[in-house]
Amino acid sequence: MDHNKQRITLKIADKKIITFINRRDEAYLKKVEAELNSLWNQFKITQPGRNEDEYLALVAFQYAKMYYDTLEQSRKREEALHNFLQKAEKSMDDILLDVK
């Protein structure tokens, strides 16, 4: 086995997940595990009476929404940066090509 990899057991939504990770990612993944479980428990408290599959679907939806919100923000920043660079290049071209 790769010395940079390690076997880890994560417990998410009362389920054990055994996987291999990069050693340097352990602390980060433990934070992810804690956040998922916190959200899971929050849904169980605020929406009692649902079954485990519904809670899991709620957690998955919440994280998917965050992912796509972040992706959309990134696209907007990229577009704004692209537009800025085009204007800056045009301004520089106007300055450089208008030398008399």
Side-chain angles (χ1 to χ4, degrees), residues 26-84:
E26 181 178 7
Y28 174 75
L29 293 175
K30 288 293 187 177
K31 286 180 185 178
V32 171
E33 174 190 38
E35 289 296 322
L36 287 168
N37 285 317
S38 175
L39 187 57
W40 168 270
N41 289 324
Q42 182 181 350
F43 281 132
K44 286 177 79 171
I45 291 168
T46 61
Q47 299 183 29
R50 292 183 179 261
N51 65 44
E52 287 191 1
D53 289 343
E54 290 174 309
Y55 291 126
L56 189 56
L58 288 167
V59 171
F61 176 77
Q62 185 72 21
Y63 273 85
K65 183 180 179 318
M66 285 191 304
Y67 171 80
Y68 281 102
D69 288 348
T70 302
L71 187 62
E72 184 62 24
Q73 290 171 355
S74 178
R75 286 183 186 143
K76 287 179 181 178
R77 282 193 302 269
E78 186 178 341
E79 183 180 340
L81 180 58
H82 177 74
N83 291 338
F84 171 79

Side-chain angles (χ1 to χ4, degrees), residues 2-15:
D2 185 348
H3 294 292
N4 294 324
K5 298 276 186 179
Q6 74 180 39
R7 182 177 179 208
I8 187 171
T9 301
L10 300 170
K11 188 175 178 187
I12 299 173
D14 301 326
K15 306 288 187 239

